[in-house]
Amino acid sequence: MTQADFVVVANRLPVDRDDEGGWRHSPGGLVTALEPVMRKRDGAWVGWPGKADLELDPLEVDGIFIVPVALSAAEVENYYEGFSNDTIWPLYHDVIAAPRYKRIWWDTYVAVNRRFAKAAADVAAPGATVWVQDYQLQLVPALLRELRPDLTIGYFHHIPFPAYGIFAQLPWRRQVLEGLLGADVIGFQRVADAGNFARAVRRQFHYETRASGIRVPTPDGGTRLALAKAFPISIDADSYVELAQREDVRARAAEIRASLGNPRKILLGVDRLDYTKGIRHRLKAFGELLGDGSLSVEDVTLVQVASPSRERVEAYMQLRDEIELTVGRINGDHDTMGHTAIRYLHQAYPREEMVALYLAADVMLVTALRDGMNLVAKEYVATRTDNRGVLVLSEFAGAADELGSALLINPHDIDGVKDAIRRAIDMPAAEQGRRMRALRRRVIEHDVEDWSRSFLTALDATRPDAR
């Protein structure tokens, strides 16, 4: 097998298997961020191909060495749908939905993490750097360190890390912390997340934590320093700016406005259909503004894109029913023959169409109840090359730490959300420009390349030969 100096370990591969047995590139931001690094550092990517019971040999796709990890249907159900998305996801998002704790889910999670660690250990060259991604693989760093103590190991946590009072509910809390502490650098979206992690380590193990460093015992009786720190992720800002300036995309944005009846203002929400995104709160606020006469459907339309997500998980099926019922009721109460209150789109769209929607929207509503980052907020900002438009942003999204010039809201405060929507709709052009220029400067200067570079620089600094 090929030996790689740089290995990414993620739940999913950077390519998707098509129906003809070929491969197509995944459009995700993580792939965009890491592709240049993979090529420069002779990289390999370890991940699941996305279909159950698919056994594939390692192969090269578009210059990236791919190491597929097979999962059975039962493992997908227990490790991915079960422990990852019905235990960890709701727990780490402040128990917005109730997590479920099943021992068979945990046992499968351990077994699958062990398989990922073994695959990474097999492909990593001596002294290689391995970067593990996200909550599905929290045990991999320590498992990998056991197998290959010569490796430099990083881990990035893309979702929130909860306060200790919430995290402590997890029956396997010590094992998860031990898994993460196998990394030399443990990256988080927010300073608060890194602090929550360090506090959990202190409470559980009484390890010394100073600044961003955690003293972790080693098998030889000594200690090593693990760095737990915030590295806020971002987007490929240049590609969004480029798309926003394309004539066909701008023409499509004008088409979208016309198809909605050319309202005075268009509000936009773009989310995965997930209970953490605050879609219900957003709809409630908008429905009340129509109901009390503050807004009219002739003047203002809300476009809500809710891409399908985890459709086999019960909580998500219930959420979809509830949201569609709410949209139907609001539209039934307020639609006219020529205007619709809410244009609801339960589907995913290609990037060009999303940018056209961003350009068509006067106000972007990001009302997450809890979010690691929320890259949609950054995508919207990047496309606003005319420095117009208003971002209404939840203070509980990681993006709020960086995008302070947005209108920040508490999504649980429905009256506050209504006030922010009214203010966004009526905001003078000069104020829009002042806020948007500050937002765009932040997003363009701190893009996804800056994120990966800053993390990997910190990781390289932990190598024995760098000390």
Side-chain angles (χ1 to χ4, degrees):
M1 184 189 281
T2 298
Q3 296 283 284
D5 291 323
F6 179 70
V7 180
V8 170
V9 189
N11 177 59
R12 289 295 300 273
L13 289 172
V15 287
D16 292 325
R17 184 92 159 165
D18 61 30
D19 295 334
E20 283 75 50
W23 296 92
R24 60 174 177 267
H25 237 49
S26 297
L30 185 62
V31 182
T32 305
L34 297 183
E35 209 169 19
V37 189
M38 302 285 286
R39 296 186 194 287
K40 193 163 67 182
R41 296 197 180 201
D42 182 25
W45 192 301
V46 175
W48 173 48
K51 291 182 181 174
D53 300 305
L54 191 58
E55 298 269 359
L56 297 166
D57 292 327
L59 70 158
E60 192 171 300
V61 180
D62 291 342
I64 296 176
F65 191 66
I66 300 295
V67 182
V69 175
L71 298 179
S72 69
E75 286 170 337
V76 173
E77 184 181 342
N78 293 329
Y79 144 79
Y80 181 69
E81 293 172 354
F83 193 79
S84 295
N85 291 323
D86 216 353
T87 301
I88 292 293
W89 180 268
L91 182 74
Y92 283 27
H93 286 85
D94 291 356
V95 198
I96 292 166
R100 294 195 293 163
Y101 305 110
K102 291 193 177 184
R103 284 169 289 181
I104 189 171
W105 289 357
W106 167 253
D107 292 342
T108 310
Y109 185 82
V110 173
V112 169
N113 272 243
R114 201 176 295 283
R115 192 175 312 150
F116 273 85
K118 173 73 165 58
D122 288 347
V123 77
T129 294
V130 180
W131 194 0
V132 183
Q133 305 290 332
D134 220 4
Y135 65 103
Q136 301 94 344
L137 303 174
Q138 292 176 100
L139 308 183
V140 167
L143 294 168
L144 190 54
R145 186 168 291 280
E146 283 174 26
L147 294 168
R148 293 285 305 275
D150 61 302
L151 300 176
T152 300
I153 303 167
Y155 170 89
F156 189 77
H157 196 74
H158 292 258
I159 68 172
F161 195 90
Y164 181 73
I166 292 174
F167 178 75
Q169 297 172 35
L170 183 66
W172 307 280
R173 58 200 183 185
R174 289 177 70 89
Q175 294 96 312
V176 166
L177 292 175
E178 284 169 348
L180 295 172
L181 287 170
D184 296 292
V185 176
I186 307 130
F188 298 92
Q189 300 282 25
R190 309 180 84 163
V191 172
D193 295 326
N196 286 342
F197 174 74
R199 275 187 289 278
V201 169
R202 280 200 304 273
R203 293 288 293 272
Q204 285 296 313
F205 301 121
H206 307 293
Y207 293 167
E208 179 190 338
T209 60
R210 193 173 295 172
S212 301
I214 299 172
R215 283 271 159 215
V216 183
T218 54
D220 61 7
T223 62
R224 62 180 181 84
L225 195 65
L227 183 70
K229 189 180 170 188
F231 298 89
I233 200 170
S234 194
I235 61 167
D236 179 12
D238 287 348
S239 71
Y240 281 91
V241 171
E242 199 177 298
L243 279 171
Q245 292 173 328
R246 264 177 37 186
E247 282 306 315
D248 59 324
V249 176
R250 299 179 81 82
R252 176 63 188 141
E255 264 180 35
I256 290 169
R257 287 197 79 95
S259 72
L260 295 169
N262 283 312
R264 185 170 68 89
K265 297 286 181 178
I266 294 174
L267 314 182
L268 176 64
V270 174
D271 310 88
R272 274 191 317 104
L273 188 62
D274 193 290
Y275 47 74
T276 64
K277 302 297 184 183
I279 302 172
R280 288 175 287 203
H281 299 64
R282 184 183 314 162
L283 295 177
K284 183 172 179 60
F286 184 64
E288 288 188 10
L289 286 168
L290 291 172
D292 64 22
S294 300
L295 301 179
S296 72
V297 289
E298 289 82 10
D299 270 351
V300 181
T301 295
L302 169 61
V303 177
Q304 176 61 56
V305 177
S307 57
S309 174
R310 299 170 191 160
E311 294 183 288
R312 288 168 44 172
V313 177
E314 182 64 30
Y316 288 78
M317 291 188 267
Q318 290 174 1
L319 177 67
R320 180 180 178 181
D321 289 346
E322 188 181 332
I323 285 173
E324 290 179 356
L325 199 66
T326 302
V327 169
R329 181 178 51 75
I330 292 171
N331 284 346
D333 288 345
H334 301 288
D335 279 7
T336 65
M337 288 296 183
H339 296 275
T340 294
I342 302 169
R343 183 66 61 86
Y344 175 72
L345 305 161
H346 180 58
Q347 51 203 281
Y349 290 98
R351 189 180 289 194
E352 288 82 0
E353 184 74 359
M354 291 312 306
V355 171
L357 276 165
Y358 293 149
L359 292 175
D362 303 286
V363 179
M364 184 82 218
L365 300 176
V366 177
T367 58
L369 307 180
R370 191 80 164 91
D371 217 335
M373 176 52 63
N374 195 286
L375 294 179
V376 162
K378 294 188 174 185
E379 291 170 5
Y380 178 74
V381 166
T383 64
R384 306 304 297 192
T385 54
D386 62 355
N387 292 316
R388 292 290 178 271
V390 183
L391 173 63
V392 176
L393 177 61
S394 167
E395 63 194 58
F396 304 124
D401 287 1
E402 299 178 88
L403 304 182
S405 296
L407 291 184
L408 297 179
I409 55 155
N410 172 359
H412 299 282
D413 174 11
I414 301 299
D415 287 334
V417 176
K418 289 165 66 177
D419 289 343
I421 291 172
R422 277 192 293 256
R423 187 176 167 195
I425 288 170
D426 296 331
M427 186 178 289
E431 185 182 349
Q432 288 183 39
R434 189 169 63 252
R435 289 174 176 272
M436 191 56 73
R437 273 190 291 274
L439 294 170
R440 296 193 77 245
R441 189 161 50 245
R442 175 70 196 186
V443 169
I444 288 165
E445 287 176 3
H446 298 276
D447 64 0
V448 73
E449 193 179 323
D450 179 67
W451 167 75
S452 62
R453 184 172 52 244
S454 63
F455 185 95
L456 291 171
T457 298
L459 187 56
D460 286 342
T462 69
R463 299 178 70 89
D465 54 6
R467 293 182 195 130

